[in-house]
Structures are given as C-alpha cells and as structure tokens.
Amino acid sequence: MADVFLNYIGGEWKPSHTGKTFERRNPATGELDGVYTSSDAQDVDEAVAAAKEAFTTWRLTPAPKRGEILFTVARILEERKEALAREMTAEMGKVISEARGDVQEAIDMAYYMAGEGRRMFGQTTPSELRNKFNMSVRKPIGVCGMITPWNFPSAIPSWKMFPALVTGNTVVIKPATFTPKLVIRLVEVLIEAGIPAGVVNVVLGSGSAVGEPLLKHPDVPVISFTGSTETGKQVAVTAAEFNKRVTLEMGGKNAVIVMDDANLDLAVDGILWGAFGTTGQRCTATSRVIVHRAVQAELAEKLAARASVMTLGDGLDESVDVGPVVSAGQLETVHSYVEIGKAEGATLIAGGEIATDGDLAKGFFHQPTIFDNVTRDMRIANEEIFGPVLSLIPVDSLDEAIDIANSVEYGLSASIFSQNVNNAFRAMQDINTGILYVNAGTTGAEIHLPFGGTKGTGNGHREAGTAAVDFYTEWQSIYVDYSGKLQRAQLDTE
Ligand code: UN1
C-alpha cells in the first residue's frame, strides 16, 4: 500500500477497511497523480469516534496553546508554499501563480486563527442586581464534519479547519475526490505542528459513501459544506432532520457593472482576472458583465482581443494564462453552455471551442469564451457555469444594471467600475450580495472579513474572520451571584 494515500484516523494513517482505491489524474496531462484509499460509513464511524474522544481533552487545552499550534502551521506552510502550490497545479489544474495564492490564503488563515487563540472575546455586562456578575463565553461544540470542494484545495479546508480547531472543536474532513492530496498535505502540516491524535481526521472517498454518513452521524453536531447549490440544499434538509448547525457556501453568478464613466482598461483587467482566473472555477468568478450601452462596443472589443490571445496549457508553465478545467465532466458542462448561449441568440465574440491543439488534447481545456448581447432572461445569464464563459449584458442606466445584478438566484459577489462616487455608493447600498467590490473584479476576498453570500448562495452563515469564530462556538451566558441570598431577576430590582 506504499503508494496509496491513506485515511488519517485517531492519529494513524490507515487504509479503508473496504480495500478499494480511487485515482486522480492530472487534468492538464492525463498522467496519474495519486491513488487513494476509498472509504465508507465504517471508516466514518471510526473517525467520528476518534474525534469525539479527542474532544474531551482538546476542548480543555488552553486556547492560546491551540493558537500556537496554528502559528506553527503557518510557519511550516510558508516554508512549503512552493512545493504545495506545484502539487496543487498538478492535482486540479489552476496556474501556478494562483496555486501559490491558494496556499497563501491558508497561511493567512492560520496566522489569523492563531491570534484568535488569545482573543475569542466574549462579553461582560452589568447586572440589574447588586453583587452579581454577568458574562458570556464561547464554548466549542464538538465534532465538526467538513465537506470541502476541489477549486480551492488549501484555502477552503483551512477556512473550515483552523477556526474550528482554535475554538476547541475536533474535525473529520472529507475532501473532494479531485483534490485529496492537498488536504492530506495540510493535515501532515498540522501533525508536524503538534496537533494531538484524534483532533483532526481525514476520510477519503465519495460524497455518497463518506459525505452522507458524516452528515447523518449523530455524534457530529456541526457540518460545514462548500459545493453546488443542488447538493447544499440536500445537506440543509438532512442537517435539519438531525438538528445540526450547518454552514453552506454554494453557487454564484457574479456580476461586474461597467458604467459609462468607468476606467475601461482597468475594468478589462478586472473582468479578465475575475472571469478566467482559476479557469472560471471560482464561486466568486465574474460570469456576467452588465455594461452601459455607451461603452458596450469598446469594452466588448477590448475584452475579446485580450481573451483571444490568452495562453492555454499546463499551469506549471509560468507563461500559461489559463489552465484546464478540472475534469472531463466539467469540460462537457462548460461546452454545453456555449451551445446553449449560441442557441439563445447571444453573439459569440471570443473562444467557444474545446481546445485540442498539440498537448492540449491530453487535458481538459476550453478556450476563454465571451458572449455579447446577452439578455437578462437567457440561461447563460442566470445559471452558474463554473468555467471560462462570460456574458455581456447591455443596459441603459445604473438602475437597470442593479436590477439585473440582483435578478439571479445567487448572491455571492458583485462589483462596479465607475469613477463616480455616487454610483459606487448606490451599488454598495442596493446590490444584494455578501461581497461587493468597487473598481475591482468579483474575486479576491481576504480572510479577515466574512466570506459568503445571500439568497441561493448560502444559509445566512459566513466563513472567515470573526464570523467563523461565531459559527464554531456556542455561547454560554453565565450569571454569578455573590450576594449570599436569593435575588430574583426582574423582580428584586431597585
Ligand atoms: C471560491 O471561489 O470558492 O475571493 C473561493 C476569492 C478567493 C476565494 C474563492 N479568495 O476569489
């Protein structure tokens, strides 16, 4: 089993009892990238039991000490950043510069949550009675089940694990089957940094064989899920049956508004980065450009010119702009939307084809694609594509632009390019998304602010920043009466 990556349960690397494996191939080259043990409910039971046992001591480990382990995690990740980034590119395809950014996001989160070990602020309040002391403290909840996606293989697992750990919870994580390696690497770093046995457990395998039993396990009171809206809604329904606390980060259909007074060259930079970074496979990707008619033609021309010369290829080559999509299935989905856009009558102004020249034929490459003259009711203007396809929707006013920006079922990220401060503040006030940018694209969230979305994107929770600390803790309000007599609140007041 030497070449098979294993589960990590109760402080030991071990194969699943199923004896089965699954493999992952590099989406740029088709080469074998890793073989993984393929688990099921029995492995989940074992991992949850280990996490439950470890919770009894980890919850009492002083929070600053837990934070120090995360500080060490950050230091090790810094040393290993380049190696991890290279493994990430080989595993899921994003270009190497962006893979470095993904690891950096985990480093940032480790430092942030390390500091949280010395904060975890609660409240003290006055009492309405004399000789009585009131306070609220944060308590860990227990075993947290985490189901993570493949598009940010270091960042998103770190957003979930580090706040859960610093606040005293234990973890069972099921990484996406496309990116188990990067989560294993993260756990190796946690082990080196001194995380005790059982505090973090990894179970590898599919959503149905591992994710579902984890979701339904009675000893897992917390579930954190990032993935599609379709699956997320089912997660919410199941979690509700078991009265679990659940955070959902789901789809996006993020819009950039370009007003007639925008700095167009800046808008072009922001849009291309937002639309084609990570090959469009971000929840926060720019997939709609809502453009004022006065600048539509000029913007379309500039975008098409730049998109058409972007270099496709293996992301390990520093000169490559756009890597592959993650899988054959994803390539098919992306391309089906190109056909849908054409059939709906949108004007194709860049790309549109699956790319198969030379070595590209070995991987899953799709040309950066732009449609112009898209209307608000078209499917390509409403459905999440999760690939390098961008739609330009012309409008006559800011009111119309904001109305269209808000008209989709999702509410993750949006942006406005305008040099008019009044337009910017109108957008900030009236756009209904969890994240909003002014004069930047729709991607680039930093880990110290809440991350998440409104409407179909989420369920009201946020990840990152202090919002994550809220999610992974339960409040306990404590009243200490040192008067030596019965004092009845609301009755014995002065
Ligand atoms: C995601 O797309 O799921 O803001 C996460 C961004 C990144 C995180 C994206 N920092 O685009």
Side-chain angles (χ1 to χ4, degrees):
M1 300 290 279
D3 296 321
V4 179
F5 288 91
L6 304 176
N7 290 332
Y8 187 68
I9 298 177
E12 272 178 66
W13 295 102
K14 48 164 79 173
S16 162
H17 77 97
T18 64
K20 293 186 197 151
T21 57
F22 66 96
E23 46 172 64
R24 173 67 185 150
R25 289 181 176 274
N26 181 323
T29 64
E31 281 162 24
L32 186 65
D33 190 63
V35 181
Y36 300 88
T37 196
S38 185
S39 319
D40 70 7
Q42 195 176 318
D43 303 293
V44 172
D45 284 347
E46 216 187 301
V48 172
K52 192 180 173 189
E53 169 64 27
F55 181 64
T56 59
T57 46
W58 183 245
R59 76 181 186 91
L60 299 175
T61 302
K65 177 74 210 162
R66 297 191 299 245
E68 279 167 30
I69 294 177
L70 292 181
F71 189 87
T72 309
V73 165
R75 300 295 286 266
I76 300 172
L77 285 173
E78 279 178 331
E79 280 163 24
R80 224 161 276 177
K81 179 173 169 179
E82 185 61 21
L84 292 175
R86 298 188 82 79
E87 286 196 321
M88 188 185 301
T89 297
E91 188 175 44
M92 58 69 70
K94 68 171 68 176
V95 298
I96 184 70
S97 56
E98 293 181 44
R100 291 182 191 119
D102 195 322
V103 179
Q104 185 59 46
E105 217 164 317
I107 296 168
D108 297 343
M109 187 58 92
Y111 277 127
Y112 183 93
M113 289 301 163
E116 204 51 50
R118 288 188 182 268
R119 286 189 293 267
M120 282 180 63
F121 294 138
Q123 299 126 352
T124 57
T125 67
S127 170
E128 63 195 37
L129 294 162
R130 290 176 193 253
N131 297 321
K132 190 177 171 193
F133 185 82
N134 294 356
M135 65 186 153
S136 65
V137 297
R138 294 178 181 278
K139 294 256 186 106
I141 307 168
V143 181
C144 301
M146 301 175 175
I147 300 172
T148 56
W150 46 263
N151 67 332
F152 276 79
S154 289
I156 294 181
S158 83
W159 297 359
K160 298 187 191 303
M161 285 203 276
F162 298 167
L165 292 172
V166 79
T167 49
N169 300 279
T170 56
V171 168
V172 177
I173 184 167
K174 186 210 94 65
T177 47
F178 290 154
T179 52
K181 195 187 286 179
L182 266 289
V183 168
I184 288 171
R185 295 298 186 227
L186 207 51
V187 170
E188 286 171 353
V189 172
L190 279 156
I191 296 166
E192 274 180 60
I195 204 87
V199 172
V200 172
N201 304 273
V202 188
V203 185
L204 306 174
S206 69
S208 54
V210 175
E212 212 172 307
L214 183 60
L215 175 60
K216 292 184 174 164
H217 202 294
D219 290 333
V220 180
V222 181
I223 295 289
S224 182
F225 169 84
T226 300
S228 72
T229 299
E230 204 187 341
T231 312
K233 281 183 186 164
Q234 287 167 13
V235 168
V237 170
T238 310
E241 259 177 59
F242 293 83
N243 194 26
K244 297 190 181 206
R245 178 182 291 218
V246 57
T247 179
L248 304 172
E249 294 299 344
M250 303 180 284
K253 190 69 189 173
N254 313 296
V256 166
I257 295 175
V258 181
M259 291 305 293
D260 49 355
D261 59 15
N263 174 341
L264 277 197
D265 289 325
L266 178 63
V268 168
D269 285 341
I271 292 164
L272 292 173
W273 171 233
F276 303 127
T278 317
T279 322
Q281 303 170 117
R282 292 182 185 231
C283 314
T284 54
T286 303
S287 59
R288 299 181 291 157
V289 173
I290 304 172
V291 56
H292 197 286
R293 273 186 216 281
V295 291
Q296 179 191 1
E298 192 183 347
L299 184 75
E301 195 184 307
K302 286 181 184 227
L303 286 172
R306 290 266 300 275
S308 309
V309 296
M310 284 181 142
T311 317
L312 287 169
D314 184 341
L316 284 175
D317 176 344
E318 302 267 0
S319 69
V320 162
D321 298 311
V322 182
V325 298
V326 78
S327 67
Q330 195 65 23
L331 184 61
E332 210 177 289
T333 305
V334 169
H335 195 63
S336 74
Y337 273 102
V338 175
E339 297 303 332
I340 290 166
K342 285 186 198 162
E344 287 180 312
T347 318
L348 184 66
I349 57 168
E353 301 294 336
I354 291 174
T356 53
D357 286 354
D359 279 349
L360 297 183
K362 294 183 193 158
F364 310 123
F365 291 94
H366 199 284
Q367 293 175 338
T369 298
I370 305 177
F371 282 106
D372 196 4
N373 300 315
V374 174
T375 57
R376 62 187 296 167
D377 51 321
M378 289 182 185
R379 285 183 61 192
I380 54 168
N382 288 279
E383 295 174 21
E384 186 177 45
I385 300 173
F386 224 65
V389 180
L390 180 67
S391 293
L392 267 54
I393 308 168
V395 292
D396 293 304
S397 66
L398 180 60
D399 283 338
E400 193 188 351
I402 291 174
D403 186 40
I404 293 176
N406 286 337
S407 68
V408 293
E409 70 170 291
Y410 303 107
L412 183 52
S413 182
S415 106
I416 181 165
F417 283 89
S418 173
Q419 315 235 49
N420 178 333
V421 70
N422 299 341
N423 288 342
F425 273 84
R426 273 288 315 286
M428 286 152 60
Q429 173 183 277
D430 293 334
I431 291 182
N432 182 11
T433 53
I435 303 169
L436 185 86
Y437 293 88
V438 176
N439 290 325
T442 55
T443 65
E446 302 176 27
I447 60 88
H448 35 268
L449 282 182
F451 181 93
T454 61
K455 303 191 287 183
T457 295
N459 63 337
H461 288 290
R462 293 289 186 272
E463 301 200 271
T466 54
V469 176
D470 289 338
F471 178 72
Y472 289 104
T473 54
E474 198 79 82
W475 283 114
Q476 185 171 51
S477 299
I478 301 175
Y479 302 94
V480 182
D481 191 320
Y482 54 98
S483 68
K485 59 183 184 197
L486 174 66
Q487 297 199 91
R488 296 169 301 176
Q490 292 92 36
L491 274 64
D492 295 331
T493 51
E494 293 173 23

